[in-house]
Structure formats: structure tokens, C-alpha cells
């Protein structure tokens, strides 16, 4: 799931989530890489990706937690937080995730347009379609594309019991989407685009493309996970501006391995680890 949480995933401390870091006028995303091949990749790509991750994340000294949502049912006001009262009800988290899904889909479509991103084909399993080949505006309907559904209840319950000591407030990926890329510099471009989005509030990143990441814990799988909130007039009106969603940035070679058979192997691996 998420890379940062209030109680143990790398966050810690009290207080509401910090506002997004200031964005420079030019939104300088750092140097760009020159291709991606795990057998021959070079250190400058790792530095570039690490630099992009640092630019997207809030300042290192902020101590704010990253709950899926913070809501005081007795006295909540839009645009406010109550860090002492995280949402622990799965019903409420699912209601928020269902409202967030169409908003997140529109966001990932816009980010993909700016970074040569692809999505799964709706009609051809295992195939991917670049966003700019089917639409030039994120508001356009894209029936050719397949987007992720809300995480299944069975997997969420399994995760809460196995990994989160029955505390549903740790869930950061009930609402999730993925963008697929052919080049690592496009991943960098997507991180740059997220950083420059005035409505995006990144709360944590798990960079599994980092050379120092131990891929044995994920059965060799690698990607970049971005946990974020969307703070807009629409999400504030719906009361979901504190809901943390997940965006997976995946290289095409790894996306191709996430077939039905590949996923079954990963589930077996995950079950053996008790995750």
C-alpha cells in the first residue's frame, strides 16, 4: 500500500497532513535520464529519479500523518482536519474511495497526457494504449482504456488483519490507479507533472526503482508508488479532500508480467509472507 503512514510506515508524529511543498514558477523537475534497462542502467538515472522523488514529497521535517481521511463526525468542517479522529470504518473509507475514483481517473489521464503514459486496453487484455492516442483532453471519454476498480473488500480485510493489526486507518490504496511507461524519463516527467499540479498533495512515495531497494521483498517486482490527496473545490465539497489514494507508475516490462498468471504467483508469494 502506501509508503507513509501516521503510525508506522515511515511517517509518525501528530498534527494534520502538511500542505503541499511550494512549487517554483518553472517547476524544475531535475535532470532527465536517458533510457532504462535493469541490466545496464546507470547511476545518473537513479540520481534523477531520487531527485524527482525529493521534489514531489513534502519537506522532510514535516511531522504530519497521512490518514485516508480525518473526520470528526460531530464537528467537521470542509477543509479542516482532526488528526485525533482518523476514519476506521471500512464503510466510510469505501464511500470516500468511490467518490474519489472518477476524480483520480481524470487526474491520471491528465498526468499521462503530459508524460507519454499508457493505460490498459479495455478490449485487448495484456495490451496498452498511450493516452495521447485516444484523447487530447482528460475530460474526454476514453472507452478504449481500462482503469482500476476500487480494491476488493476481501483483499482489504485480509490486509487490515495481516498487516495493520485490524486498524483500517492505515489503508492508503483502496482507491488506486496506475500509469504505464516505456521509458524511465517519462516516469520522471510524470513525477514532475504531479509536483506541478496545484490540486495534488503528495503524502508519500515508495521508490522501488531505486538501486538500493531490496526487490526480494516484492518477488522482483518494481515500480514507483505515489500516495496523494486531491484538494480541489470538488473534493472539498464532497468531504474527501483528506482521502489518500495511490498512483502506481509502472514500466511496461513489469506491467506485462502482471498477467493473470503472474498475479496468481504474486498472491502465492504474498500469502507465504503473511501480507
Amino acid at each position: 500500500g502506501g509508503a507513509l503512514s501516521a503510525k508506522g510506515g515511515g511517517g509518525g508524529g501528530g498534527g494534520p497532513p502538511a500542505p503541499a511543498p511550494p512549487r517554483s514558477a518553472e517547476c524544475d523537475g531535475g535532470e532527465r535520464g536517458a533510457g532504462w534497462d535493469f541490466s545496464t542502467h546507470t547511476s545518473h538515472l537513479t540520481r534523477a529519479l531520487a531527485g524527482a522523488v525529493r521534489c514531489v514529497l513534502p519537506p522532510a521535517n514535516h511531522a504530519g500523518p497521512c490518514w485516508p481521511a480525518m473526520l470528526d463526525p460531530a464537528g467537521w468542517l470542509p477543509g479542516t482536519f482532526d488528526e485525533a479522529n482518523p476514519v476506521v470504518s471500512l464503510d466510510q473509507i469505501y464511500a470516500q474511495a468511490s467518490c474519489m475514483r472518477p476524480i483520480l481517473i481524470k487526474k491520471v489521464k491528465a498526468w499521462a497526457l503530459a508524460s507519454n503514459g499508457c493505460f490498459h486496453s479495455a478490449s485487448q487484455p495484456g495490451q496498452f494504449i498511450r493516452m495521447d492516442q485516444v484523447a487530447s483532453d482528460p475530460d474526454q471519454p476514453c472507452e478504449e482504456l481500462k482503469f482500476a476498480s476500487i480494491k476488493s473488500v476481501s483483499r482489504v480485510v485480509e490486509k487490515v488483519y495481516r498487516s495493520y493489526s485490524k486498524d483500517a486507518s492505515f489503508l492508503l490504496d483502496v482507491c488506486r490507479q496506475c500509469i504505464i511507461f516505456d521509458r524511465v524519463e517519462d516516469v520522471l516527467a510524470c513525477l514532475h507533472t504531479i509536483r506541478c499540479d496545484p490540486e495534488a498533495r503528495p503524502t508519500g512515495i515508495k521508490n522501488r526503482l531505486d538501486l538500493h531497494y531490496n526487490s526480494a521483498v516484492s518477488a522482483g517486482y518494481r515500480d514507483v508508488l505515489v500516495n496523494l490527496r486531491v484538494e480541489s473545490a470538488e473534493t472539498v465539497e464532497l468531504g474527501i479532500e483528506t482521502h489518500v489514494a495511490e498512483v502506481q507508475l509502472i514500466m511496461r516490462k513489469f506491467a506485462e508480467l502482471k498477467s493473470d498468471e503472474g498475479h496468481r504467483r504474486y498472491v502465492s508469494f504474498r500469502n507465504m509472507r503473511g501480507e
Side-chain angles (χ1 to χ4, degrees):
L4 193 66
S5 70
K7 298 183 182 176
R23 293 171 170 82
S24 62
E26 63 275 10
C27 281
D28 180 12
E31 64 180 295
R32 290 288 183 262
W36 185 256
D37 181 339
F38 260 98
S39 62
T40 60
H41 61 276
T42 53
S43 59
H44 75 281
L45 287 178
T46 303
R47 291 198 304 272
L49 187 58
V53 166
R54 287 193 297 272
C55 287
V56 171
L57 283 173
N61 60 355
H62 91 92
C66 298
W67 302 109
M70 298 173 207
L71 181 68
D72 179 357
W76 173 77
L77 293 174
T80 64
F81 299 97
D82 180 7
E83 70 274 11
N85 193 18
V87 172
V88 296
S89 164
L90 281 181
D91 287 340
Q92 188 171 347
I93 291 172
Y94 265 89
Q96 294 173 341
S98 297
C99 292
M100 179 61 71
R101 183 175 181 268
I103 297 171
L104 185 62
I105 288 176
K106 182 177 177 180
K107 282 295 183 186
V108 296
K109 287 162 66 178
W111 299 335
L113 274 173
S115 58
N116 300 318
C118 306
F119 296 102
H120 288 273
S121 168
S123 59
Q124 303 178 61
Q127 300 298 312
F128 310 103
I129 302 175
R130 263 180 55 161
M131 178 64 193
D132 59 9
Q133 293 177 345
V134 297
S136 58
D137 188 315
D139 288 323
Q140 291 180 244
C142 300
E143 296 180 0
E144 303 93 333
L145 306 179
K146 179 181 179 182
F147 296 98
S149 59
I150 300 297
K151 186 181 283 288
S152 71
V153 174
S154 59
R155 173 55 186 154
V156 163
V157 171
E158 184 179 72
K159 195 170 186 179
V160 167
Y161 271 75
R162 289 180 176 182
S163 302
Y164 299 148
S165 301
K166 304 179 184 179
D167 188 347
S169 67
F170 280 107
L171 292 165
L172 304 177
D173 62 345
V174 177
C175 179
R176 69 276 169 87
Q177 293 298 326
C178 72
I179 309 175
I180 299 148
F181 300 93
D182 289 306
R183 307 180 307 163
V184 75
E185 49 263 58
D186 292 332
V187 177
L188 294 172
C190 189
L191 288 168
H192 172 77
T193 302
I194 293 171
R195 177 198 176 202
C196 292
D197 188 323
E199 295 178 345
R201 299 290 184 268
T203 60
I205 292 182
K206 181 181 289 185
N207 180 11
R208 296 196 283 205
L209 295 182
D210 193 304
L211 294 177
H212 300 292
Y213 172 72
N214 178 14
S215 62
V217 302
S218 55
Y221 176 77
R222 291 176 181 265
D223 61 8
V224 176
L225 298 180
V226 182
N227 289 111
L228 52 82
R229 300 184 294 109
V230 176
E231 190 171 301
S232 65
E234 183 178 9
T235 59
V236 170
E237 183 178 4
L238 291 169
I240 58 173
E241 77 276 14
T242 58
H243 186 89
V244 178
E246 179 178 277
V247 178
Q248 305 167 7
L249 311 181
I250 308 174
M251 300 302 295
R252 181 187 290 264
K253 292 296 184 182
F254 285 101
E256 289 172 347
L257 294 173
K258 293 180 70 172
S259 61
D260 290 341
E261 181 181 353
H263 184 68
R264 282 194 294 269
R265 290 197 300 269
Y266 176 71
V267 169
S268 297
F269 170 83
R270 188 178 67 197
N271 288 341
M272 287 189 290
R273 289 175 58 88
E275 297 176 344

